[in-house]
Amino acid sequence: MAQKKSSTPRASSPSKKPEGPAPEALWLQLEQQLRDTLGPDAAGQYPAELEPMSWTFEQALDAAGLLPDDYQRFVAALGYRWLTTGKKGLAFLPPRWRTQASQGMGEPGRQWMKVREEREAGRHDYRFVMFAAEDLNDVNGFCFGKSAKSDALVVWQVVDSLPEKELGPFDAWLSKKLAALAKTTGAKKPELGDPLGLMQDSLGELGEKVRAEGAAAILGKFPRDTKSILLLQRKLGVVPDMVAEFTELESLELKGAALRQLPPVLARLTKLKTLNVNDNPALDTLPPELARLPSLEQVSLQGTGIRAVPEVLSLLPKLRFLSLKATSITTLPEWLSRMPHLKTLDVAGTDISAEEVHALKQAHPDWWIISSH
């Protein structure tokens, strides 16, 4: 959310800088102390280009106006660093991970489903941005947001994905946080290293380089037992046959991937429940082998080059959601009415006639049919 800079003083921000060393100096001092006592794996730094394997929502987070000057001064001087004592850790999230973590946060006083709907639709104004973390699995850490008492940007504590408590201005918060970390160095043979494990969950140190190596290099970064692969706007061009190695996969989303076809080996993903290939205008057919996917429940073909509803869909025993939105389809096949579990059909933005949509609604009053009529 863009926020214009204001001359209004920030709440909780003292008129004078606190006495003593700057947070940058305190960080480097503690970093050296931990390296001396625990070893080199007690501290490290993330590359600024570090990129998550996937995005939760397509809408990018505009952090302008949500990052206070003292934080920006810190990362300009030191980059995105982390510390760990084996018991406690603190890591500053590089920009793309900052976005990913912020997308997973809720907002105080609002239902998560409402927030999620806004983010999926690309019309959400972010009020908080997560900049540091202790545990990303449960989304625990620290974010910036306006104080409840004023327009000042302050640090909030994030617990289980929700900002819960104001902790004051950045400089004062970081000084206290580093002092607390300095007191937790008594563990014997602690487990050290990146406290968040971002390197294992990222495309690599240079996302552009990995993308240049092709689709196989990107998919190759995912654990083979992963259950969800979500790649938005990655120009893969193809889905490599190695996708068949993900035998536990339940959700495959390849939006805007510049696909022309899908490989027959998708039929080996017998646990796949969701297939989303939205916004691939050159994709105009589906392989007949998809009929061998017994668990497939949701298929989204929005914005593809499909001109007729692929007949292979009639052989999916559990299909309950089908999106044909913004395709060139002009009529619906008769067999669609015989789909045993179909409950949601999206034909908005197509040239299917109002009469045909009305007849389908009359025949299936229990279906949710989304149309432009």
Side-chain angles (χ1 to χ4, degrees):
M1 173 179 67
Q3 174 181 304
K4 295 182 179 179
K5 290 188 177 180
S6 170
S7 58
T8 304
R10 291 173 177 163
S12 305
S13 297
S15 57
K16 297 180 180 180
K17 285 287 181 184
E19 296 181 2
E24 298 94 306
L26 291 176
W27 182 283
L28 292 175
Q29 179 181 328
L30 179 56
E31 184 175 292
Q32 187 60 54
Q33 175 186 327
L34 294 180
R35 289 181 184 274
D36 290 343
T37 57
L38 299 176
D41 292 336
Q45 182 171 346
Y46 300 123
E49 301 89 349
L50 200 64
E51 185 171 349
M53 288 181 179
S54 60
W55 296 101
T56 305
F57 301 106
E58 191 169 355
Q59 179 190 20
L61 164 65
D62 181 4
L66 288 172
L67 303 175
D69 293 341
D70 42 11
Y71 162 80
Q72 296 189 63
R73 182 187 68 241
F74 179 89
V75 297
L78 299 185
Y80 303 93
R81 304 173 89 95
W82 55 263
L83 296 171
T84 182
T85 66
K87 291 183 177 180
K88 298 285 186 178
L90 178 66
F92 278 73
L93 302 171
R96 293 182 179 95
W97 272 100
R98 196 170 59 200
T99 294
Q100 172 71 321
S102 300
Q103 288 180 334
M105 288 173 53
E107 292 191 351
R110 300 194 65 199
Q111 291 185 349
W112 167 246
M113 290 306 298
K114 182 65 176 177
V115 173
R116 182 182 181 89
E117 287 174 5
E118 292 176 357
R119 292 177 183 172
E120 287 179 338
R123 52 181 172 79
H124 180 75
D125 289 330
Y126 283 86
R127 299 190 295 125
F128 299 91
V129 55
M130 194 164 176
F131 70 95
E134 299 169 319
D135 170 22
L136 278 185
N137 290 329
D138 294 319
V139 195
N140 292 320
F142 306 94
C143 70
F144 292 120
K146 289 184 179 181
S147 169
K149 301 176 182 179
S150 72
D151 285 341
L153 289 174
V154 297
V155 177
W156 287 72
Q157 184 168 14
V158 180
V159 179
D160 293 337
S161 82
L162 277 178
E164 288 195 349
K165 180 182 179 182
E166 290 188 37
L167 301 177
F170 173 77
D171 279 5
W173 163 80
L174 185 56
S175 296
K176 291 179 181 178
K177 189 66 180 173
L178 294 179
L181 277 171
K183 297 177 181 179
T184 60
T185 59
K188 294 182 179 180
K189 296 182 179 180
E191 293 185 9
L192 302 177
D194 173 6
L196 302 182
L198 294 195
M199 300 301 289
Q200 294 91 329
D201 294 329
S202 298
L203 286 180
E205 293 189 13
L206 297 173
E208 293 295 336
K209 179 180 178 181
V210 174
R211 279 195 294 274
E213 294 174 355
I218 294 176
L219 286 179
K221 296 290 182 178
F222 286 84
R224 293 305 187 268
D225 61 351
T226 189
K227 293 186 177 182
S228 176
I229 293 178
L230 188 153
L231 298 172
L232 303 179
Q233 307 303 323
R234 313 256 190 214
K235 304 307 179 185
L236 304 179
V238 298
V239 180
D241 285 350
M242 69 173 295
V243 72
E245 298 174 13
F246 298 91
T247 55
E248 299 297 314
L249 197 63
E250 296 181 359
S251 178
L252 179 61
E253 300 191 39
L254 303 171
K255 297 175 63 177
L259 301 178
R260 292 182 175 275
Q261 60 184 7
L262 294 176
V265 296
L266 285 181
R268 301 182 193 174
L269 305 178
T270 57
K271 295 184 179 181
L272 194 67
K273 296 180 179 179
T274 298
L275 177 63
N276 183 326
V277 289
N278 289 354
D279 305 323
N280 287 284
L283 181 66
D284 58 6
T285 187
L286 297 179
E289 289 81 3
L290 290 190
R292 301 203 299 266
L293 292 177
S295 302
L296 197 56
E297 299 177 357
Q298 301 184 58
V299 174
S300 190
L301 303 172
Q302 175 180 330
T304 63
I306 297 291
R307 296 179 177 276
V309 184
E311 192 168 358
V312 64
L313 298 178
S314 68
L315 302 175
L316 297 176
K318 292 186 178 181
L319 188 67
R320 59 182 179 83
F321 173 94
L322 176 60
S323 175
L324 305 169
K325 183 178 180 179
T327 62
S328 298
I329 291 174
T330 58
T331 188
L332 297 172
E334 185 272 337
W335 54 257
L336 199 63
S337 289
R338 299 196 300 271
M339 297 295 291
H341 297 290
L342 192 63
K343 293 298 180 184
T344 302
L345 178 65
D346 188 351
V347 293
T350 68
D351 289 331
I352 298 173
S353 68
E355 292 77 15
E356 187 171 0
V357 171
H358 178 71
L360 197 61
K361 288 181 178 179
Q362 291 291 103
H364 298 280
D366 58 329
W367 285 15
W368 182 26
I369 301 177
I370 307 166
S371 72
S372 303
H373 305 295

